[in-house]
Amino acid sequence: MIQTFARRALQPQFRSLARFGQSSEEGDVSFLEQVYQYFDKAAALTNIPVDMLNYYKKTDCVIKFHLPLVRDDGTVECIPAFRAQHKTHKLPTKGGTRLSEHIHTEEVEALSLLMTFKNAVLELPYGGAKGGLKMNPKKYSKREIESLMRRFTIELAKRNFIGAAIDVPGPDLGTGEREMSWMKDEYTKFAGHLDINAQGCVTGKAISQGGISGRTESTGLGVFYGCREILEDYEFCTQAGIPAGLRGKSIIIQGYGAVGYYAAKYMCAYGAKLVGVAEWDGSIYEENGIDPDELQAFKEQRKGVKGFPKASEYHEDESVIYKECDIFIPAAFEQTVNRANAPKFNCKVIAEAANGPTTLAAEEILIKKGVKFLPDILLNAGGVTVSYFEWLQNLDHIRPGRMTRRWEETSKYKLLEAIQISTGLRVDVTKNQQAAKLLEGPSAKDLVFTGLEESMAVAVQKTKETASKLNISLRMAAYYNALMAIHQHVDTAGLR
């Protein structure tokens, strides 16, 4: 149906897309312009009318307001706050809430556009959104941050910018289940008596507050699933100059927060090798491999990687990211792979765990070197996918598996009993813990993880098929699929 519509578009309109996909020879641009560059490059591959492309590109709504904060010392400070809803063609909109002193209007617009496309690639029923507060959370007390998060929630609610059917924030840089739980609690106090689904106003909450098992690991786990699926492709790996498969691959990670840690943890458990990590206080390298759990325990205690005893090299800067490896994973901020440092990289594959880590200028340089990219709007979508599962749990008012786990376990025992009767074999599961474990019904986390695995596998397969059919990169294939999905939805629903 998508291809039928594309063929129906007027050819002159396609030719008028000369401004889309223009070269980035002038160098790096702002983050918003970077996202627009990738949008334009993908738009040039479609036959979608130019006026509709302009509509899909622009942000539907963005708000900025200031939150008054009474500091612990009694002084008053005004904190800028933002929320952007890129596209409301599907409701609710969905996207994270960050605490960062670098946040501004254009940044949330860019990130909300990426969320729209990410949701489309994973076929999630959301438009894209993003928001946050302009502050460094390390400079504020717990009480001050709680006060701000609660006031932020109230101000969003007063403007009709939060709710399970309107706009559903989630965790992002500087926020986690603590902040999301505060937002949920404040919203339910504000509107819970009018909204039975108030608990679904945010995702990434603590489990006791309506959160779901596996949300913390989800983005990093999604990175693992995506890398595993793509690296099983012989042709892709041949083009990258590496053997097929994730096992045995050397990995360097930039940013060892939750995303970087869990990506490393699951990839190493599968057979990859973590050889380098860059953090705010420097970078470490160990050719024989770094244990992800040991490094995480050290980082939690020391608040950084400096001094990690099992690394053979320590650098005060991030220079380890330029060492030779199979896979480099940027898991920190946007535009960390840029025109200035692109020539320094010696990896075969860049797997984007962060949002918008690679500028178009950098990508063009690295593609000429033979580097292959696993795009952010596909690879780091594990977080929003599991947030979707949490949202569904909140709307259903029941955790996954509650009504089926015992039934599935009973069914397995009955099947085992039938096998024993028909074959004469006897298995005493009370004396075999491994056998007993296999007969258990799935836990909520089991269902979340398998649901995420299926979602990532399907999205990767569709992206690969488009890339092969149109002879384009995985990034352009992901953007193309997202654009066509958005266009099909709007064309079918109508626009007035």
Side-chain angles (χ1 to χ4, degrees), residues 34 38 335-337 350 352 356-360 362-363 373 475:
Q34 169 192 316
Y38 283 125
Q335 297 189 311
T336 56
V337 181
I350 293 182
E352 298 179 338
T358 309
T359 69
L360 182 58
E363 184 182 60
F373 286 86
R475 187 191 307 281

Side-chain angles (χ1 to χ4, degrees), residues 128-144:
K130 188 71 73 168
L133 282 65
K134 189 177 182 64
M135 59 179 287
N136 182 349
K138 294 180 180 179
K139 297 180 180 179
Y140 295 81
S141 69
K142 177 183 175 182
R143 184 205 67 81
E144 291 170 336

